[in-house]
Amino acid sequence: MKVDFTIPMRDVINANQREHFHVRAKKTKTLRQLGKKSAEGLVFPDPCRIIAYFGFPDKRRRDLHNYFGTLKALIDGIVTDAKALPDDSWDHLIGPDLRVIDYKEKGHLYICLEIMTEGYSHSPSGSTPGLLSLGLSTTA
């Protein structure tokens, strides 16, 4: 299942922007409403994994994680407002994993959320993800 968004760059939340909190709150509200509208009537598989594909209007290098605020507001609209999932905790929602795709529409950010269920387990053999691969222990 896929959910697509084309968002004017003026409505995008970027962690590097230093905006007044009223401006950011208005953008968040707009993005949540967009997320809700796009997911009304949809029920996502539970649990589900989300891969977020970002398409930017130009070829400039960007730190993709700076756009997580935009993605969070969309997912909050989908999950909390449209009720496509019971909750956005890790019990119900895995990810989102962020990717970049080639897309160029002047003045707009394109985001495609791919919702899937296959091929995921919370952690291998009940271990804490990430700690073992770093050689760290979960015991004191």
Side-chain angles (χ1 to χ4, degrees):
M1 176 185 318
K2 292 184 181 183
V3 183
D4 296 312
F5 303 94
T6 303
I7 304 164
M9 289 303 287
R10 69 177 178 275
D11 293 333
V12 170
I13 298 171
N14 181 331
N16 285 334
Q17 292 170 327
R18 303 294 179 241
E19 298 175 314
H20 191 275
F21 68 93
H22 285 226
V23 173
R24 183 169 291 231
K26 186 175 180 180
K27 287 181 177 185
T28 301
K29 182 178 180 180
T30 300
L31 291 166
R32 281 186 73 143
Q33 289 172 341
L34 182 62
K36 179 182 179 182
K37 183 179 176 186
S38 71
E40 283 182 336
L42 296 178
V43 177
F44 290 180
D46 188 7
C48 72
R49 179 178 183 193
I50 292 184
I51 300 177
Y53 297 93
F54 285 75
F56 292 97
D58 53 42
K59 289 195 173 254
R60 291 185 337 181
R61 289 180 45 184
R62 291 178 166 86
D63 181 355
L64 196 54
H65 292 96
N66 285 336
Y67 296 89
F68 207 84
T70 299
L71 189 56
K72 180 182 177 353
L74 290 171
I75 290 174
D76 284 347
I78 291 168
V79 174
T80 306
D81 302 337
K83 310 254 188 268
L85 281 172
D87 189 7
D88 60 358
S89 69
W90 59 73
D91 291 329
H92 305 283
L93 179 64
I94 296 102
D97 297 326
L98 310 180
R99 307 281 185 265
V100 176
I101 58 171
D102 188 28
Y103 173 87
K104 293 176 208 67
E105 184 176 329
K106 190 171 178 112
H108 291 84
L109 172 67
Y110 171 75
I111 299 178
C112 174
L113 300 181
E114 184 177 11
I115 294 87
M116 49 206 273
T117 58
E118 64 275 353
Y120 181 82
S121 65
H122 281 288
S123 61
S125 305
S127 64
T128 304
L131 292 180
L132 298 178
S133 63
L134 294 174
L136 302 174
S137 172
T138 57
T139 59

